Structure formats: structure tokens, C-alpha cells
Amino acid sequence: MSVSAGRMNGPGRRILRHVWPVAAIGCAVVGIASALPLFHIAANRLVVGTPVSAAAAFGVPGLSVCGSCLLGSAFLGFGRSRPSALAALAAFSTALVLFAAGLGTAASDLVAGQPPAARARLATGAWLGLMVLCGSVAVSIGRTHIRGVGWLTLISLLAVFSVLYRSGGFDGLSLAVEYRARAESVHAALWQHVVLSFAAVALATVSCVSLYAWRPGRGAIEIVINGLQVVPAVALLGGLVSLTSGLLSVIPSLRAAGLSALGPGPAILAVAVYLLLPFWRGLQGALRASDPSILAAARAMGLTRRQSLLRIRLPLGTPILIGALRVASVQSIGLATLGALVGAGGLGGIVFEGMAQFAPDLILLGAVPVIGLSLLVERGLSLLEGRARQRWHG
Amino acid sequence: MNLLHRLRPAVWPLVVGLALVVLSHPVSAETIAGLLGGSARRPLSSARLIELGSHHLALAGTGLALVGSLGVGLGILATRRSASGLRSGIDTTAAIMQAVPPVVVVALALPVLGFGAPPTLLALVAYGIMPTLRGTVGAIEAVSSEAQEAGIAIGLTPRQILTKIELPLAGAGILDALRVALVLSIATAAVGALAGASTLGTPIVAGLQNQNLVPMLQGAGATAALAFVGDALMLAIAGLLRR
């Protein structure tokens, strides 16, 4: 009974599979165009402002964005071949560029003739549209099944956007206005953030390897590392700072030795604590990755334990180690945001300043680089992980 | 004896949690601060700690309920045969959502949702849902295909295969995912203090801003205590349900 019902559903399901990308993207386009605001026009950088609909902001040229979206979704839905995936990629990338450029132009038009403090801030419709378009581009890239096309698309889109930015195409957007006012401090914070996260990863790597080398204590260390993972990050930072500053007031000479309760030190330590677990698991997995029969063969060939570790076990475990590094790096970049709570600087500082002022643009100015940085590191290292897997495991 | 054996994994988290509860009590926190020569500023009273703790628990509990029902539900849907193509999409989405830390979600939601609980709840759901979904999918996929085929062979309907074979066998894995989600929820609720939600993170954030060490220590101890006790509770449930 159920089998025959499944068979009857066959053609229907196939049609559904063709139609749903078109339907989903069509719904998104219609929803954004009709219901959600694309902009908020605010009198200054601290107020929310009044919403502006897509029709009012874009007018007739907006139809070209809708058109290329629907074209792309048709290619995605009805074609299974590589050329149709490439056509979908081209259509969605065009739509993305047109949409972004249109947002920039519309923002300039909206603030023209307004007092200088007025801001045209992207609203939910614009963000949702950008996300849907980026997602569609990513899906099309996946459909092409060509290696490197993703990075190529990313680089060319970034190039187009930077040309648009340089030529003043985005100057009306509130985010660009905010960025121009604070470019120096954003660059400094970005650099600090990278250093903080990298230092935490390095500290965690070194401590994890040396802890793992102490064979008798492994069981106990594993319990402690697992337990530390349960401590909420805010609590760990708070506890660390209160205990260190207490310690410093008892033994003031420690201050001369460079110990301090606030600043990058405690932040790096706290972040590194959470990275121990991914590294520990990675190390365990990597060393267990090689087949016992291979190790037996190595022993039979007369390799010492050190040689077998360096020449066989570590190379075969490389993909797992890179995977651990990927998980730890993404966590590190995220957790380093909290470092600003203890005065370590970084992009978290900009985010918290924005929260304190209730200034949406400033929050975005800190948040967008954090997200971009983690995505970049995640994608980059997972590419490397795939390469290593291919290299060592065929 | 058997019961004790089942509850064993929960013992250490419970002990650590209770020790942290003692640490966050006003008297002991003040004593520690005194030993360390800290300022004699007034600690938080037990009543205030309990009030903040119950807010924290309510927020984390609501978040966990949302994350649990959405994550496990979507995980079950994603493992149905008709949705087999969604698997890689789920993994990519999980990786992308993991790249947005809870603080950033709270901060981004602040201008839209205002101060207090709503942005925190959004961050709870945004950060907790993908690990839960992924854990559920992993647990169900780990159920051996022999068990599923045996179910088909004895004439079970797909629904019966789900409720009588897949879910019982995947139960331990799903509970483990929920345990991680609980710990994440408690941590994220503490971060919510930055957006003005009244939780155990509030004394920590306030203490960091005005260098008030005693409430900071108490808040940190109590937040960690909540996480450890919650962890112990989930481990105990998992131990009791294990077959």
C-alpha cells in the first residue's frame, strides 16, 4: 500500500524538486519587495529612523535584480548540468552586484538633501536579500562541481565591491560613513583580534602537546579539560580576573613580573582553556588514525617508535589535526570577542562600544569583521583539510 | 549498586557544582576576598543571587526547550529518506552559524529587539540549534542499517521504525547533544547580561566595569555552578535511561 503510494508520488516529487528553488527564491523576492523595509532613514547615527520600502528605494530598476534572481533560480531548478549551474552562478552573482550597487545608489539618493547627520541604514529586507543571494551563489557554486570556482567567485565579487566602494558607490550607506570615521581604530582592532586569537591557538597547541606527552596523567587531564569546557566563558573571565587581582594585591611583586589582572594576558589564557578540548581530541584521533597493520609493518622494517611517529602516525593523522585546528581557530576568533570585557581590545571592543552607545552601525562595524574572519578561516582550513585527506588517504 | 554505577558519571560534575555553590555564598566569597586582601565592598546577598539564578535558569530553560524541540525535530526530518540530499547543506549551515559567536548575535539583535531577554533568547536559539540538529542527525545515522532493515522485514511502518527502533537506539546520542545544548544555553544566558538581561552574568559584567571583585567572584562561581549541576543532571538522566 505504502509502496504504491510512493510510486504514485514519484512524478509529483520530481516536479516539486524542479519547482522548489524557483518557488523559494520567488517567495523571498516578493516578500522582500513588498513587506520588508530596505532602509531606515535616521536623523542621526543613534536613532532607529523611519522605514523605506523596496519600491520606494529602488523603483523600476529593482526589477532587473528580481529578474536575474528568478532567472538564476530557473537554471538551478530545471537544469542538472554543469552549464546550467554556471549560468545560475552568473545570474545570481549579477543579481548580487546589481542589488548591492542599487542599495548604494538608493542610499545616496535618500540622504541627498538631508542634514549631514542623517543616515541611510540597511534594514531587514536588505540584509535578508543579501543573505539569500549569497546563499544562492554558494548553492550554485556547489552545483558546478568545479574545484576553485568558489574562491574565484569570492575574489571577483570582492574585487567588484572594492571598485564600487573606491568609486564612492557605497558612500551613502551608514555603515560606510561610520567606517570612514573610524577606519584607523577598526584596522587596529582587527589586527589585535587576529593576534589575540592566534596567541590563544598557539598557547593551546603548546600546552596540549606537552600535556599529552605526560602519559601517566592523561586520564586525569582529560577529565579536567572536559570539565573546563562546562565553565561559561563569561564566568571564567570573571573568576580569572577577580582571583588574579586578589593575588596581585597579596603579592604585589608579581606585578613587576608582568602579571596583570586585565589586558590581553587573561583573555588569551581564558580563550586557550576552551581550545584544549578540540586539540586534545584531534591529537587523540590523529594518533589513532593509522591502521595497526601499517604500524606493525613499520616495526618489522625496523623503524624506531620516534621514526614511526614522525613518518607514519603524524602524516596519516594530518587531516584530523587540521580539522582540530579549524574548530579551535573558529572558536578562538569568536571567544576573543569577549576578551574586550577584560580590556584586551580587539573587535569585541568596537562591538561593546556600539552596544553601550546603542549605535547599530558601530555594532556592525565590529561584528561583520568577526564573522568574515571566522568564515574565511573556516573555509580556508577546511579546504586544506580536504587536500591533506586526499594527499594521505587517496 | 547498579543504580550507583549508572549515576557515576554525574558525580564529579555534581561535586564541582556544589563546591562552586559554596564558593559563591556571600560569607565564603567575602572570606576569600578577605584572604586575598580585597576591598571590603558588600557582597551580593543570597536572596539576590537566587533571584538572578532563577532568571538565568528561566532564560536558559526557555532557550533549551526551543533549541531542543527545533533541533531534534529538524534532525528527525533531515534523516528521513526523502531528505537525504539535505545532509551536506546542514553541515555547511552548521559551520556558518558556528562562525557567529553568541556575543555577536546578542549585539546584532540589540538594535532590533531592544535590551533584555529577547536578544539573548535569539542568541540561545541561533547558537544552540545547529549543534543539536547535527548531534541528532549523527545519532540517528549511527543506528545500524541491520536494525532498520529488520524493522522493515517484520512489517513496521516508517513511523514505527522511527519510534520503536531509531529513536530508542539513538537516544543516548540525542541526550548527549541536549547536554551540550544545556551547557551552551547557560553560557549564552550569562553573555546576555551584556544586553541588559538580568542573569548571573550581570554581577560579572558590572564587576568587570567597576572593579568590584566580590560580586564578580560570586557571579562567576554561581554561573559555573549552574552549568556543572545542569551537566550532572543530564548525565544522571542519560545514565538512568541507558539500557
Side-chain angles (χ1 to χ4, degrees), chain A residues 13 48 227 229-235 237-239 241-243 245-247 249-250 262 330 334 337-338 341-342 351-352 355 358 360 363-364 367 370-371 374-375 378-379, chain B residues 32 35-38 82 92 95-96 98-101 103-104 106-108 110-111 114-115 183 186-187 190-191 194-195 204-205 208 211 213 216-217 220 223-224 227-228 231:
Chain A
R13 189 166 282 172
V48 175
Q229 207 71 17
V230 176
V231 183
V234 176
L237 279 171
V241 169
S242 54
L243 291 179
S245 52
L247 200 66
S249 59
V250 175
L262 291 174
V330 171
T337 319
L338 281 177
L341 271 182
V342 295
V351 173
F352 294 146
M355 283 169 92
F358 211 68
I363 296 177
L364 275 172
V370 172
I371 300 173
S374 355
L375 283 179
E378 206 275 333
R379 284 290 92 196
Chain B
I32 293 173
L35 282 179
L36 290 174
S82 50
T92 316
I96 291 175
Q98 230 42 36
V100 189
V103 214
V104 171
V106 169
L108 288 176
L110 187 67
F115 279 108
V183 171
I186 290 172
V191 170
L194 288 167
I204 307 177
V205 173
L208 282 168
Q211 288 298 303
L213 298 185
M216 197 156 89
L217 192 64
T223 315
F228 275 106
D231 196 44

Side-chain angles (χ1 to χ4, degrees), chain A residues 68 71-73 75-76 81-94 140 144:
Chain A
S68 20
L71 192 67
S73 57
F75 278 123
L76 213 53
S81 62
R82 186 169 284 175
S84 80
L86 284 170
L89 177 58
F92 282 127
S93 308
T94 314
S140 319
T144 59

Side-chain angles (χ1 to χ4, degrees), chain A residues 220-300:
Chain A
I221 291 171
E222 190 169 346
I223 292 173
V224 172
I225 289 179
N226 271 304
L228 283 171
Q229 207 71 17
V230 176
V231 183
V234 176
L236 186 66
L237 279 171
L240 209 59
V241 169
S242 54
L243 291 179
T244 331
S245 52
L247 200 66
L248 283 175
S249 59
V250 175
I251 318 171
S253 57
L254 284 176
R255 208 178 288 274
L259 191 70
S260 121
L262 291 174
I268 291 171
L269 185 62
V271 174
V273 160
Y274 292 100
L275 309 184
L276 287 177
L277 186 66
F279 277 128
W280 187 269
R281 286 198 181 145
L283 212 52
Q284 248 177 2
L287 293 179
R288 285 178 191 161
S290 30
D291 199 326
S293 61
I294 297 178
L295 293 179
R299 215 169 22 243

